[in-house]
Amino acid sequence: MKKNSIFGIFIALYSGISVAGEVNFPEELLPLQVNDREIEHSFFNKVRTLELPAGVHRIKVKYSDLFELDYDEHEVVDSKPFWVEVDIKDGDYQVRFKSIETVEQARAFAKSPTIWLQAKQGNKVSASRVSEATKSVAAPVHVSVPNNTSAAKIDNDKPAPSAGKPDAVSMLEFWWQQATPEQRAAFLASIEAQH
């Protein structure tokens, strides 16, 4: 009898904080906010995975991609942050968008971004664009931090979680921006010599 009541309490507590779906973002899309909670990113590491309970969520997203135009000329294409509304069910999702091959396609996408969620079972979940003025849905949000076994829960009284270990791409982008044109040329020459 005592075991059953303890087990029942455990199930009741666990079901209140259960996570329904994991939403994974590609490198080009950055989640900035979920409902009324902002997501903090470190300079070298960006949060790319959100764990959300079942239900409707508003997610603020930004598109950013780097294109090599010429040997020593690059362009970063950014969109303004935009809001989408998604209905999360149980399962894992991958955020998708139409394939972008050229800088012109990226510029067009940045002006009017369209994304959707793809469930592992193959079902497509629409991500409807919404305005910022739309009333937000309050729900707990979990942010998965790479190389960390537990997800951080966003709490109303605590600051948003920050990312963990830096990723190599972000570090390379940072140091590339810090380098002089001579240092960049020397770096590219050393890479070409290795191949």
Side-chain angles (χ1 to χ4, degrees):
M1 178 76 168
K2 190 173 189 178
K3 285 183 182 178
N4 287 343
S5 63
I6 292 173
F7 182 74
I9 292 171
F10 176 75
I11 294 297
L13 288 174
Y14 181 75
S15 65
I17 58 170
S18 66
V19 173
E22 184 177 278
V23 180
N24 298 295
F25 288 81
E27 191 174 303
E28 301 86 359
L29 296 172
L30 186 66
L32 302 174
Q33 186 173 339
V34 176
N35 301 321
D36 59 351
R37 295 287 148 224
E38 290 187 15
I39 300 169
E40 291 184 16
H41 301 274
S42 74
F43 186 76
F44 291 117
N45 193 17
K46 309 298 184 199
V47 173
R48 299 287 180 198
T49 303
L50 302 174
E51 293 180 1
L52 303 172
V56 176
H57 299 279
R58 292 180 62 241
I59 304 173
K60 187 177 190 179
V61 182
K62 181 178 181 179
Y63 168 78
S64 181
D65 203 358
L66 175 69
F67 289 87
E68 185 173 346
L69 304 177
D70 197 13
Y71 174 72
D72 197 27
E73 188 180 352
H74 299 82
E75 180 178 338
V76 176
V77 179
D78 291 322
S79 73
K80 291 182 181 177
F82 60 96
W83 287 92
V84 294
E85 190 171 90
V86 295
D87 188 4
I88 300 294
K89 308 285 188 222
D90 289 336
D92 294 338
Y93 300 89
Q94 182 67 39
V95 177
R96 302 274 187 212
F97 58 97
K98 186 177 176 183
S99 178
I100 296 174
E101 303 294 327
T102 66
V103 71
E104 290 80 16
Q105 290 174 337
R107 289 180 193 139
F109 179 82
K111 288 180 183 176
S112 181
T114 302
I115 64 174
W116 65 90
L117 274 59
Q118 188 79 38
K120 285 198 175 185
Q121 297 80 13
N123 297 333
K124 185 176 173 181
V125 177
S126 69
S128 308
R129 294 247 342 236
V130 293
S131 68
E132 191 170 354
T134 306
K135 180 76 175 151
S136 66
V137 180
V141 177
H142 297 269
V143 177
S144 292
V145 180
N147 300 327
N148 190 349
T149 56
S150 64
K153 179 181 176 188
I154 293 180
D155 191 333
N156 291 338
D157 300 330
K158 296 182 182 175
S162 59
K165 182 179 175 186
D167 68 337
V169 173
S170 296
M171 291 174 65
L172 286 169
E173 288 175 1
F174 170 77
W175 287 113
W176 181 263
Q177 296 301 323
Q178 303 303 313
T180 64
E182 296 81 24
Q183 291 170 326
R184 290 178 182 181
F187 176 74
L188 292 173
S190 70
I191 290 175
E192 285 182 10
Q194 292 176 8
H195 293 292

